């Protein structure tokens, strides 16, 4: 039997004769089964794909009818079987062309990796030959086929390009040109085939045509997408222009493989306990994840979906270039929060640009517990899978996401042997009295069978072995189930089995334990002991008992204790938390406990202003970060109850921590929600929220005119005599004016803040912050020496208190002063200390800025390796966060390093990209430098000088002279400082250009560069 | 009231209400956390004397008594 899907559906029997499959539904049924040959496709998935979301009542009969017809058409009953709640096509994968194609591509890639190019070409050619037309051509508009069609088309193209690369490496440039020309015509915006064609033409001695191919691509990209060619294509063009010998000698893969910015590699967290059993499931899932981009583990609560997904996800992510991350959706109460949760897990700043930032990265995202936000999760999954070809999604849910191309993978219960091993392991961990005897083991096996092999049920039962020997345990469970089944020995549905065990476990709690179990369920993000004491205690429950009660729940596997940044936190599995919330509602205490939780987090957020201006900032920020999911839940509770005061206090209090954590967009969403909440709000809450909105609007670039919010906040705080809140608002109010370049206004505001601090009683913090304000004011008045002295003073004060952010900022500015005096060793030392101080909070955006600055200092100190290492770290983060100024700084440094290592074309490409970023506009908001714009101009001058130097060495004296003119322009803007590192190179470039052009022509070109628009120079560079 | 006493009080209340199956089960849990307690056994014994319960409960109570030193 042969089934073909790489074109219109075709079926041949073993003798090669056509087999007719009548009817569109039957053909779709066969195609779905063939795509997953050998594996059962769940009935629900088949029904939805074939009949849509509103199937007729007797649809299962309809499906059975289709199965009968298919068996008849295929002439065999065994070829189609029913197993595990689905239908499976029992054919080897080599009977289906899609699988043959994928295996041949894998074999080809393997041979290429092993250096056997001829075999690789052979295998890849065989793979291509299997194609008869568009993949799944009969099913183009069917949802089930959409993602597979996209994936197969992309794989076909990639395989074709890989084969052509191998052919070029075999010096077959003449013979591949026609094929590449067709490929470029059919995919004109794809850069890789165009790059290959340019290389082939160049090697065939057709340099002008190679350059024309580049120009055509460039115009097309500009017209169609408004984009410039990528740096690789531009670099290739430069190499062709320069007749770079590397083009002939180097492997084509090395010259044309698009290099994309590396992202920080992410990992899925390692579970605390080893996985018991599941070997077979892990193998199956590994295969499934290798072949499909969306796999959803489904099953009832407690079947072990999350645990299995963590293990399978970790393995699959380890093979991907960008790793993987875990997105816990259990804590997301609002469907709109799904994007934010993914964005936060990926350490991105803007949830609205997820697809854009993920791009073509090879990353696995594990979406855990999708069921309560299933529609939103499905929508985001579909969007991301369409736009991000390297993305793989692994989801866990009680039902499928119902997205085209999704493979629904029902998680089976534990196999009997694994179930008993899990029981014994958990019983041991729970402090079981002794090793089980052989007789005990028989009873344990019986218990596990009675519990349907459900891991959570087994864990709950095993946790009781401290109080009950296994025989007693079996007897109690037996009674429980006999009650539920009316004495019959019939098994309960799995869902009811778990419910029965959770009920049983809950009833074995004393009343106070039950109350704590229920109350802990309101924390989507778990909590620490202090929070539990504050929220869960009451007249019926003394706070001092909470520790013991939580420990009792941990012993019974009803609560988990996890270590987060050295702090013990308590969480519950989703199934148990849901049960706890139900019980809490039954008791009629849900509103009271949620009110208590909201009040607790309101108190935490009310400390926001004092945490910003006072001591103890580090610890408060860590708490805010750990409590983020709970804060969001409290905010939602406040909004649901029209409690504007609480909503504004929480959203406002969390605003500047959002800014420092790089999640300003999310923080802005909280504030927008809070301001939309009806109800009265206290002046204090309004002032905090207005300050937060002013800050985040300015920071995200939503508005630059944020004075009205900040002024309103100041007026309210002044009326209330709230010095802490006034200091917070004045700090941002002054900084906004500085950043906008309104020096007089900035001086006025900064002076007002200083006056406020001068009026406060002396304390280590007040000393520090006075010095800091005086330093800022001195710099605004142009008194750099005074500014430096005050900054050093502030640094000394801040180092004595818990203010890691302020300490890090002061150290960074002190390093600026060191650098301006050419004391590079001191600058490096202070930057390293700033990085260490920031490390305690992990503020990624700020870290990348500090690393880039340290790279620059090390570069000037001659430590190329150290500089490169810092730049690589910084650029990974900066590109990921789309921080233009830092990316520009890194590219500048890396360009200089490339040039020093004898790689001029890479150096020019990077310098050009840096300048393009600069020209695209680089907002410098709240940068901690004496004058941030100076450093951007110094970097721009360095890039122009570098390009000039390479142009001079490449026989382009006129361009060299113009770029030297551009460099001089930027140098003048930066105060005339010439980077010592480049002094010799610059002089040599000028000498070479002047000698080639003569003094007059050199001066004319130089002057033209000084006056002209750099954009024209860069964009015209390719044609010059 | 300390937790140990609260649990004792709860067991007494369960006995008074005639919820002896649960009371015996919880007594096992109490013993695990606080050690065997003769007073609790006495409370349960009195309750069992005045209440009609399934044989299984009496059997488990006997197992509980065996926990006493």
């Amino acid at each position: 039997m042969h089934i073909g899907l790489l074109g219109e559906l075709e079926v041949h029997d073993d003798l090669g004769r056509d087999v007719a499959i009548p009817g569109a539904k039957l053909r779709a049924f066969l195609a779905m089964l063939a795509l997953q040959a050998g594996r059962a496709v769940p009935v629900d998935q088949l029904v939805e794909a074939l009949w849509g979301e509103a199937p007729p009542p007797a649809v299962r009969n309809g499906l059975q009818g289709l199965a009968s017809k298919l068996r008849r058409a295929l002439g065999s009953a065994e070829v189609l079987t029913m197993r595990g709640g689905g239908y499976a096509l029992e054919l080897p994968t080599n009977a289906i062309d899609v699988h043959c194609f994928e295996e041949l591509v894998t074999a080809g890639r393997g041979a290429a990796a092993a250096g056997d190019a001829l075999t690789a070409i052979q295998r890849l050619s065989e793979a291509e030959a299997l194609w008869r037309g568009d993949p799944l051509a009969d099913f183009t508009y069917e949802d089930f086929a959409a993602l597979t069609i996209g994936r197969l088309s992309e794989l076909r193209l990639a395989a074709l390009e890989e084969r052509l690369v191998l052919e070029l490496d075999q010096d077959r440039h003449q013979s591949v040109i026609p094929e590449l020309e067709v490929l470029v015509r059919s995919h004109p915006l794809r850069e890789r085939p165009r790059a290959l064609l340019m290389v082939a033409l160049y090697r065939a001695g057709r340099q002008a045509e190679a350059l024309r191919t580049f120009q055509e691509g460039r115009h097309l990209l500009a017209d169609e997408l408004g984009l410039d060619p990528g740096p690789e294509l531009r670099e290739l063009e430069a190499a062709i222009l320069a007749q770079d010998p590397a083009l002939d000698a180097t492997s084509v893969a090395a010259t044309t493989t698009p290099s994309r910015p590396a992202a920080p590699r992410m990992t899925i967290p390692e579970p605390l306990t080893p996985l018991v059993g599941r070997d077979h499931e892990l193998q199956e899932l590994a295969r499934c994840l290798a072949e499909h981009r969306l796999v959803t583990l489904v099953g009832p609560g407690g079947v072990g979906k999350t645990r299995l997904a963590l293990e399978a996800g970790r393995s699959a992510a380890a093979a991907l270039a960008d790793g993987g991350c875990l997105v816990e959706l259990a804590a997301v109460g609002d469907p709109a929060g799904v994007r934010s949760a993914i964005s936060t897990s990926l350490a991105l700043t803007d949830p609205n640009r997820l697809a854009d930032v993920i791009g073509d990265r090879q990353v696995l995202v594990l979406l855990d517990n999708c069921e309560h936000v299933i529609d939103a999760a499905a929508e985001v999954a579909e969007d991301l899978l369409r736009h991000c070809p390297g993305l793989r999604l692994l989801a866990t849910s009680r039902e499928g996401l119902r997205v085209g191309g999704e493979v629904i993978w029902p998680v089976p219960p534990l196999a009997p042997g694994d179930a008993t091993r899990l029981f014994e392991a958990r019983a041991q961990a729970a402090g079981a009295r002794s090793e089980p005897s052989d007789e005990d083991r028989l009873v344990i096996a019986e218990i596990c069978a009675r519990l349907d092999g459900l891991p959570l049920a087994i864990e709950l039962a095993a946790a009781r072995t401290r109080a009950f020997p296994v025989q007693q345990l079996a007897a109690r469970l037996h009674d429980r189930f006999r009650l539920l089944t009316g004495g019959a020995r019939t098994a309960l549905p799995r869902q009811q089995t778990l419910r029965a065990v959770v009920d049983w476990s809950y009833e074995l709690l004393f009343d106070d334990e039950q109350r704590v179990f229920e109350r802990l369920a309101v924390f989507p993000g778990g909590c620490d002991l202090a929070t539990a004491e504050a929220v869960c205690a009451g007249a019926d429950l003394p706070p001092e008992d909470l520790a013991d009660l939580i420990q009792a729940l941990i012993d019974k596997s009803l609560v988990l204790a996890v270590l987060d940044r050295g702090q013990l936190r308590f969480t519950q599995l989703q199934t148990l938390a849901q049960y706890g919330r139900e019980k809490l509602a039954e008791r009629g205490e849900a509103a009271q406990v949620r009110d208590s939780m909201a009040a607790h987090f309101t108190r935490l957020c009310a400390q926001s202003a004092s945490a910003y201006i006072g001591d103890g900032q580090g610890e408060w920020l860590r708490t805010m970060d750990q409590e983020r999911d709970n804060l969001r839940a409290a905010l939602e509770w406040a909004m649901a109850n029209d409690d504007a005061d609480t909503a504004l206090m929480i959203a406002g209090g969390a605003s500047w921590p959002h800014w420092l954590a790089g999640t300003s967009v999310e923080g802005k969403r909280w504030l927008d929600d809070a301001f939309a909440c009806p109800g009265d709000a206290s002046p204090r809450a309004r002032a905090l929220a207005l300050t937060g909105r002013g800050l985040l609007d300015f920071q995200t670039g939503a508005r630059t005119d944020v004075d009205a919010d900040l002024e309103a906040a100041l007026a309210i705080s002044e009326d209330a005599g709230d010095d802490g809140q006034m200091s917070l608002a004045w700090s941002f109010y002054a900084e906004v004016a500085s950043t906008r370049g309104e020096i007089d206004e900035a001086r006025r505001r900064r002076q007002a803040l200083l006056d406020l601090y001068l009026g406060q009683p002396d304390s280590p913090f007040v000393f520090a912050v006075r010095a800091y304000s005086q330093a800022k004011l001195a710099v605004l008045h142009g008194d750099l020496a005074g500014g430096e002295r005050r900054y050093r003073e502030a640094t000394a004060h801040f180092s004595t208190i818990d203010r890691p952010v302020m300490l890090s900022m002061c150290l960074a500015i002190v390093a600026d002063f060191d650098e301006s005096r050419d004391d590079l060793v001191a600058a490096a030392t202070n930057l390293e200390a700033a990085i260490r101080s920031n490390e305690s909070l992990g503020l990624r955006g700020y870290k990348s800025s500090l690393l880039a600055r340290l790279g620059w200092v090390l570069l000037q100190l001659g430590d190329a390796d150290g500089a490169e290492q810092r730049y690589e770290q910084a650029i990974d983060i900066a590109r990921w966060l789309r921080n233009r100024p830092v990316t520009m700084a890194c590219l500048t440094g890396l360009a200089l390093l490339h040039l020093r290592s004898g790689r001029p074309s890479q150096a020019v490409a990077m310098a050009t990209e840096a300048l393009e970023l600069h020209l695209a506009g680089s907002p410098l908001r709240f940068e901690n430098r004496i004058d941030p714009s100076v450093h951007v101009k110094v970097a721009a001058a360095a890039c122009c000088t570098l390009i000039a130097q390479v142009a001079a060495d490449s026989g382009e004296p006129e361009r060299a002279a113009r770029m030297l003119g551009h460099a001089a322009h930027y140098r003048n803007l930066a105060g005339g400082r010439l980077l010592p590192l480049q002094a010799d190179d610059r002089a040599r470039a000028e000498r070479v250009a002047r000698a080639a052009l003569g003094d007059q022509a050199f001066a004319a070109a130089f002057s033209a560069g000084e006056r002209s628009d750099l954009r024209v120079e860069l964009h015209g560079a390719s044609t010059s | 009231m300390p937790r140990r006493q609260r649990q004792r009080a709860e067991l007494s209340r369960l006995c008074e209400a005639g919820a002896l199956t649960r009371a015996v089960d919880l007594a096992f849990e109490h013993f695990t956390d606080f050690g065997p307690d003769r007073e609790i056994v006495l409370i349960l014994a009195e309750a069992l004397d005045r209440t009609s319960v399934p044989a299984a409960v009496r059997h488990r109570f006997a197992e509980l008594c065996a926990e006493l030193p």
Side-chain angles (χ1 to χ4, degrees):
Chain A
M1 181 77 62
H2 160 83
I3 296 175
L5 294 166
L6 297 173
E8 290 187 351
L9 175 70
E10 67 172 20
V11 183
H12 297 145
D13 65 14
D14 290 341
L15 299 173
R17 293 174 303 202
D18 282 348
V19 175
I21 308 294
K25 221 178 253 322
L26 194 63
R27 292 165 75 79
F29 183 42
L30 175 59
M32 284 184 76
L33 296 173
L35 284 172
Q36 300 196 41
R39 281 201 304 275
V41 183
V43 165
D44 287 350
Q45 199 177 336
L46 290 165
V47 166
E48 186 174 330
L50 296 171
W51 280 276
E53 285 178 0
V59 70
R60 283 178 183 257
N61 292 343
L63 192 60
Q64 283 166 6
L66 275 184
S68 300
K69 277 186 198 167
L70 188 57
R71 288 190 182 105
R72 275 201 302 278
L74 298 177
S76 160
E78 294 79 32
V79 77
L80 179 62
T81 60
M82 177 84 183
R83 57 178 159 99
Y87 284 97
L89 194 64
E90 304 293 2
L91 284 177
T93 51
N94 63 12
I96 294 141
D97 63 357
V98 167
H99 304 298
C100 292
F101 167 71
E102 289 175 323
E103 280 165 20
L104 282 166
V105 171
T106 305
R109 286 174 171 176
D116 184 356
L118 294 178
T119 303
I121 291 170
Q122 179 68 26
R123 294 291 165 270
L124 292 171
S125 302
E126 287 166 12
E128 277 169 54
L130 292 171
W131 287 70
R132 295 171 289 110
D134 291 335
L136 296 152
D138 319 46
F139 314 107
T140 308
Y141 301 107
E142 302 292 341
D143 277 353
F144 81 85
L147 284 177
T148 308
I149 290 172
R151 183 178 64 81
L152 287 171
S153 303
E154 181 60 30
L155 184 59
R156 178 192 195 185
L157 209 49
L160 177 58
E161 288 170 3
E162 284 165 35
R163 202 248 309 151
L164 289 166
V165 167
L166 291 163
E167 302 252 21
L168 274 172
D169 281 348
Q170 298 298 308
D171 287 336
R172 297 176 186 169
H173 38 266
Q174 291 285 8
S175 64
V176 297
I177 287 174
E179 206 173 347
L180 279 166
E181 283 175 337
V182 171
L183 192 57
V184 168
R185 268 201 301 278
S186 50
H187 299 90
L189 298 176
R190 200 173 167 97
E191 295 197 0
R192 190 153 160 77
R194 189 171 295 277
L196 292 175
L197 180 58
M198 286 165 68
V199 173
L201 288 167
Y202 177 81
R203 286 189 182 173
R206 295 156 66 178
Q207 183 178 345
E209 287 171 73
L211 292 171
R212 197 176 62 223
T213 300
F214 173 81
Q215 292 301 341
E216 284 168 0
R218 181 174 161 174
H219 291 311
L220 261 171
L221 280 167
D223 294 345
E224 302 277 328
L225 304 174
L227 293 175
D228 286 333
E232 298 76 24
L233 213 56
R234 292 201 308 267
E235 195 171 322
L236 183 60
E237 186 224 13
I240 290 172
L241 281 168
Q243 301 193 346
D244 189 339
L247 277 175
D248 293 314
T250 318
S251 156
V252 179
T255 52
T256 63
T257 302
S259 68
R260 62 177 176 73
R265 203 171 189 290
M266 291 163 295
T267 52
I268 292 172
E270 192 175 353
L272 296 173
T273 51
L275 180 67
V276 175
R278 298 291 200 192
D279 295 345
H280 174 69
E281 286 89 342
L282 286 172
Q283 278 175 10
E284 270 279 296
L285 269 175
R287 193 162 75 91
C288 201
L289 282 165
E291 291 172 8
H292 301 279
R293 295 180 56 214
L294 171 58
V295 178
T296 306
L297 303 192
V298 296
V303 78
K305 299 182 291 291
T306 298
R307 188 65 186 78
L308 186 58
L310 281 172
E311 208 74 28
R314 279 176 61 80
S315 302
L320 299 177
D322 298 303
C325 74
L326 168 67
V327 183
E328 295 191 35
L329 293 177
V332 175
D334 167 16
V338 171
R339 271 182 190 276
S340 297
I342 299 174
S343 176
T344 304
S345 296
L346 287 164
L348 300 176
T349 51
D350 187 350
N352 301 318
R353 288 164 58 191
L354 264 182
D356 188 24
V357 177
I358 294 173
D360 63 350
R361 293 177 199 283
Q362 302 285 322
V363 65
L364 181 138
V365 174
L366 198 175
L367 298 173
D368 193 25
N369 286 308
C370 296
E371 50 274 333
H372 64 298
V373 283
I374 191 90
D375 291 337
E379 188 195 322
V380 177
E382 191 161 29
D383 175 46
L384 294 181
L385 287 169
R386 272 190 205 289
H387 293 101
C388 311
L391 174 71
R392 279 166 195 277
L393 290 177
L394 174 60
T396 74
S397 176
R398 293 192 188 164
E399 54 177 318
L401 300 187
R402 314 275 178 208
V403 170
E406 176 187 32
V407 173
I408 294 182
W409 205 94
V411 177
L414 282 175
D418 293 338
T420 52
R421 279 202 295 134
L422 176 66
F423 187 102
E424 286 180 30
R426 294 295 178 266
Q428 205 68 39
R433 293 172 181 188
S434 57
E435 276 282 302
S437 64
D438 289 347
E439 193 187 337
D440 289 343
R441 289 210 161 91
L442 288 174
V443 180
I444 290 172
E446 187 193 320
I447 293 173
C448 292
R450 199 70 190 82
L451 298 178
D452 289 337
L454 284 171
L456 178 56
I458 291 169
E459 292 211 23
L460 289 175
R464 298 293 177 162
T465 45
R466 206 159 63 105
F468 305 104
V470 290
Q471 284 79 3
Q472 285 191 28
L473 211 54
R476 279 160 177 75
L477 287 169
H478 179 68
D479 288 353
R480 161 82 41 180
F481 285 107
R482 199 173 51 189
L483 198 70
L484 288 169
T485 55
R489 292 190 63 82
T490 46
L492 288 167
R494 247 180 243 144
Q495 202 122 7
Q496 286 185 35
T497 301
L498 182 71
R499 178 77 188 192
V501 177
V502 177
D503 272 340
W504 170 77
S505 202
Y506 173 82
E507 283 166 26
L508 277 178
L509 296 175
F510 281 93
D511 182 63
D512 50 4
E513 294 167 340
Q514 287 180 343
R515 284 174 193 272
V516 175
F517 171 71
E518 292 160 14
R519 292 173 191 182
L520 287 177
V522 302
F523 295 105
C527 66
D528 60 10
L529 181 61
T531 304
E533 285 172 345
V535 175
C536 302
D540 52 351
L541 214 57
E544 60 272 19
D545 279 3
L546 259 294
D548 278 353
L549 289 166
I550 291 174
Q551 184 58 54
L553 294 171
I554 292 169
D555 290 344
K556 288 156 191 162
S557 284
L558 290 162
V559 166
L560 291 169
V562 292
L563 208 56
D564 178 5
R565 280 164 274 188
Q567 262 205 329
L568 201 58
R569 288 180 72 81
F570 309 109
T571 65
Q572 288 173 316
L573 289 176
Q574 183 61 3
T575 303
L576 297 175
Q578 199 178 337
Y579 182 90
R581 288 193 290 270
E582 279 172 33
K583 288 288 177 188
L584 188 68
E586 278 172 25
R587 206 187 275 271
E589 289 185 354
Q592 181 193 328
V593 177
R594 288 182 192 282
D595 279 347
S596 173
M597 179 178 81
H600 172 75
F601 289 117
T602 304
R603 284 194 295 277
L604 179 69
C605 287
Q607 298 167 19
S608 183
S610 54
Y612 186 77
I613 60 132
D615 196 357
Q617 187 185 69
E619 194 184 332
W620 188 83
L621 275 174
R622 271 189 294 279
T623 305
M624 289 294 283
D625 191 40
Q626 286 173 325
E627 303 294 358
R628 185 171 293 201
D629 289 334
N630 295 332
L631 288 165
R632 178 73 212 181
L635 174 63
E636 281 166 13
W637 176 249
M639 290 192 304
N641 289 284
D642 293 350
D643 180 359
D645 191 58
T646 298
L648 288 170
M649 189 64 94
I650 290 175
S655 58
W656 66 268
H658 271 298
W659 161 49
L660 289 177
T663 51
S664 294
V665 175
E666 173 71 355
K668 178 71 171 41
R669 194 164 77 87
W670 289 26
L671 280 163
D672 289 344
D673 288 348
F675 273 108
C677 180
D680 295 333
S682 65
R684 192 172 178 215
R686 284 196 67 76
L688 190 57
L690 284 164
T691 306
R693 189 167 70 181
L695 162 70
L696 294 186
D697 273 352
F698 190 75
Q699 185 60 24
T700 55
R703 288 187 298 147
T704 51
D705 181 18
V706 293
D707 290 4
D709 274 349
L710 295 170
E711 283 160 9
L714 279 168
I716 296 170
S717 311
E718 201 163 0
D719 283 349
D722 185 342
D723 281 357
Q725 176 56 43
M726 278 175 69
S727 308
L728 178 68
W730 272 115
S731 303
F732 297 136
Y733 193 47
E735 208 59 39
V736 162
S738 287
T739 308
R740 282 201 303 246
E742 297 163 3
I743 300 303
D744 288 343
E745 185 60 15
R747 284 178 192 152
R748 187 184 73 78
R749 295 178 184 185
R750 186 57 68 182
Q751 184 63 54
L753 178 60
L754 177 59
D755 291 344
L756 193 68
Y757 286 134
L758 289 170
Q760 289 179 359
D762 291 350
S763 72
F765 165 72
V766 170
F767 285 135
V769 84
R770 278 180 198 154
Y772 181 73
S773 290
Q774 284 163 336
K776 287 243 170 200
L777 202 54
V779 171
L780 283 169
H781 283 289
D783 175 12
L784 291 184
E788 181 178 356
R789 196 175 64 252
R790 293 296 193 181
Y791 270 122
R792 291 187 188 277
E793 197 182 313
T795 306
H797 286 305
F798 280 126
S799 64
T800 65
I801 56 178
D802 178 19
R803 289 291 305 238
V805 178
M806 290 305 297
L807 176 60
S808 187
M809 287 177 176
C810 284
L811 283 163
I813 299 181
V814 168
D816 238 8
F817 284 108
D818 292 331
E819 194 186 333
S820 66
R821 281 203 321 275
D822 288 331
D823 188 350
L824 297 172
V825 174
T829 305
N830 279 320
L831 283 169
E832 278 163 358
I835 291 168
R836 274 198 305 279
S837 181
N838 176 63
E839 210 63 66
S840 66
L841 296 170
L843 307 176
R844 288 157 44 82
Y846 185 43
K847 179 181 178 177
S848 68
S849 164
L850 293 172
L851 282 167
R853 289 181 53 190
L854 181 57
W856 185 250
V857 171
L858 293 176
L859 183 66
Q860 293 177 78
L861 278 169
D863 178 3
D865 290 345
E868 188 173 359
Q869 190 198 342
R870 283 4 178 257
Y871 277 130
E872 293 292 353
Q873 286 177 43
I875 201 166
D876 279 354
I877 305 171
R879 285 212 198 258
W880 192 241
L881 298 180
R882 303 208 157 218
N883 184 325
R884 276 192 200 150
V886 175
T887 308
M888 184 206 174
C890 294
L891 286 166
T892 304
L894 288 168
L896 289 165
L897 284 164
H898 274 305
L899 192 63
R900 261 148 190 64
S901 302
R903 296 185 292 270
S905 53
Q906 283 98 325
V908 169
M910 284 199 165
T912 306
E913 191 185 344
L915 289 170
E916 280 169 353
L917 280 178
H918 166 58
L919 294 170
S922 304
L924 292 161
R925 293 196 179 91
F926 300 172
E927 285 282 310
N928 292 286
R929 309 205 65 163
I930 304 165
D931 181 354
S933 64
V934 165
H935 301 276
V936 172
K937 285 156 197 159
V938 168
C943 290
C944 292
T945 307
L946 183 151
I947 295 171
Q949 183 189 344
V950 175
D953 289 345
S954 309
E956 294 180 87
E958 196 172 332
R959 185 172 188 221
R962 282 197 310 273
M963 289 309 293
L964 286 172
H966 284 292
H969 167 71
Y970 279 114
R971 211 165 44 246
N972 289 336
L973 291 177
R977 194 155 181 263
L978 176 63
L979 198 61
L981 188 71
Q982 285 187 310
D984 290 347
D985 297 339
R986 195 211 156 277
R988 190 164 57 81
E990 180 176 340
R991 213 169 38 246
V992 171
R994 202 180 278 282
L997 296 173
D999 285 344
Q1000 201 173 352
F1002 174 85
F1006 184 94
S1007 170
E1010 263 185 316
R1011 293 191 316 271
S1012 66
D1013 186 344
L1014 182 59
R1015 282 181 192 85
V1016 175
E1017 179 68 48
L1018 293 177
H1019 289 232
S1022 315
T1023 51
S1024 67
Chain B
M1 190 191 293
R3 198 171 147 234
R4 182 176 189 167
Q5 269 176 275
R6 250 196 339 260
Q7 291 195 354
R8 244 192 224 165
E10 189 174 346
L11 287 171
S12 294
R13 278 198 305 278
L14 288 170
C15 289
E16 280 166 26
L20 293 181
T21 309
R22 180 152 190 254
V24 173
D25 274 348
L26 284 180
F28 275 103
E29 294 286 350
H30 181 85
F31 282 16
T32 310
D33 284 345
F34 297 104
D37 186 329
R38 194 168 296 275
E39 199 182 317
I40 287 176
V41 170
L42 285 173
I43 295 169
L44 285 168
E46 282 174 17
L48 285 165
D49 283 348
R50 59 172 187 265
T51 317
S52 164
V53 293
V57 178
R58 290 188 186 281
H59 180 66
R60 273 172 219 154
F61 177 66
E63 288 170 348
L64 185 73
C65 293
E67 303 256 324
L68 289 174

